[in-house]
Amino acid sequence: MSQLTPTGWISPERIQQSINDEIDKVAGQHVDVPSTLRPDQPDKISEFVDDLGLSKGKSRKVSDTVMALLNTRR
C-alpha cells in the first residue's frame, strides 16, 4: 500500500516571489513589476515589457510570466 506524503499550503507571497525570480532569470536583470499594472491592461503590460529592451522571445516569455504574477495579485 502506498502512503501519501503531507502537502502544505504555499503562501501567496512565496508564489509571487517565485514568479518574480523567474521574470528576473529570463530578463537577465532585476525587474520591478509595478503594482499599478493589472491583468486587464494588455497594452500597458506590452509597453512595460517592451521598455525592458529584451529579445522577442524573452519579451514573450516575460510578458506571459508578468501576466501570471498579476493574476496572483488579485
Side-chain angles (χ1 to χ4, degrees):
M1 180 181 284
S2 65
Q3 294 181 342
L4 297 175
T5 57
T7 60
W9 291 96
I10 299 174
S11 71
E13 293 80 15
R14 186 167 172 201
I15 292 169
Q16 290 171 2
Q17 184 60 54
S18 176
I19 295 170
N20 273 316
D21 291 346
E22 180 65 19
I23 292 168
D24 292 351
K25 179 180 171 185
V26 173
Q29 61 186 346
H30 175 69
V31 177
D32 187 23
V33 179
S35 60
T36 55
L37 277 181
R38 297 189 328 256
D40 63 345
Q41 300 174 312
D43 292 339
K44 288 188 178 186
I45 294 168
S46 292
E47 182 179 328
F48 169 74
V49 173
D50 288 347
D51 287 346
L52 296 174
L54 305 173
S55 68
K56 286 184 181 184
K58 286 185 177 184
S59 290
R60 186 172 32 254
K61 181 156 178 135
V62 167
S63 182
D64 291 345
T65 311
V66 166
M67 182 64 78
L69 175 65
L70 297 177
N71 282 322
T72 67
R73 291 181 176 175
R74 292 184 186 195

